[in-house]
Amino acid sequence: MNKAIEVALFLHLLGVAVWIGGMIFAHFCLRPALEDLSPQLRLPLWESVFGRFFNWVGVSVLVILLTGGFLLMQFGGGHATWQLHAMAGIGIIMMLIFGHIRFAVFPRIRRAVQAQKWPDGARAVATVRRLVVVNLVLGIVTIGVAAMSRGF
Ligand code: HEM
């Protein structure tokens, strides 16, 4: 394997680790730990956590897209295996879902917290939770497809 492919694969996997690992931590560790807090405490905390995490995901998505596109070219472009096309397709759906969370749902959480409209904020956080579950399932399926991409 040439050096550029190794570096691209390294960055690709780092981006995947940050994105999927962050979603696992938020969904399975942070969410249950905050469940019993009052909305007045819980929602500003989520806003602050999401504000930081979504910057990390934004960078990861860019890195995954650029390195994935480069790798796809190296592995045959349009003639690459179905597993790599599936990865690209599901990956792009995951990115669109993230874009919706970041640019449509997150501003609702911001506005609700600023206006102290706790029920609105709680609804928006629940929407993020559902979409994160969808992206987690898609992400794990994608890693499964990636594991099959060598065709062993
Ligand atoms: C635009 C989206 C994406 C494109 C175009 C893309 C493309 C690629 C390509 C061409 C490879 C190299 C395969 C090889 O080394 O044989 C690769 C590796 C990999 N990708 Fe992606 N990918 C994308 C998104 C994702 C996402 C969202 C995930 C996980 C959630 C992911 C997980 C992986 C993994 C685990 C590998 C290592 C597989 C291996 O080297 O055998 N990719 N990707």
Side-chain angles (χ1 to χ4, degrees), residues 17-31:
V18 168
W19 190 7
I20 306 288
M23 289 197 290
I24 298 236
F25 170 75
H27 188 74
F28 291 109
C29 306
L30 192 55
R31 188 186 53 87

Side-chain angles (χ1 to χ4, degrees), residues 1 5 9 12-13 16 19-20 64-65 67-73 75 84 87-92 94-95 138-140 142-143 146-147 149-150:
M1 233 195 293
I5 291 180
L9 199 54
H12 194 74
L13 292 177
V16 169
W19 190 7
I20 306 288
I64 293 170
L65 195 60
T67 55
F70 170 76
L71 288 167
L72 200 56
M73 291 309 174
F75 285 88
L84 295 186
M87 185 192 300
I90 303 173
I92 285 167
M94 290 174 64
M95 291 170 194
L138 291 178
I140 289 164
T142 311
I143 293 175
S149 74
R150 301 289 165 96

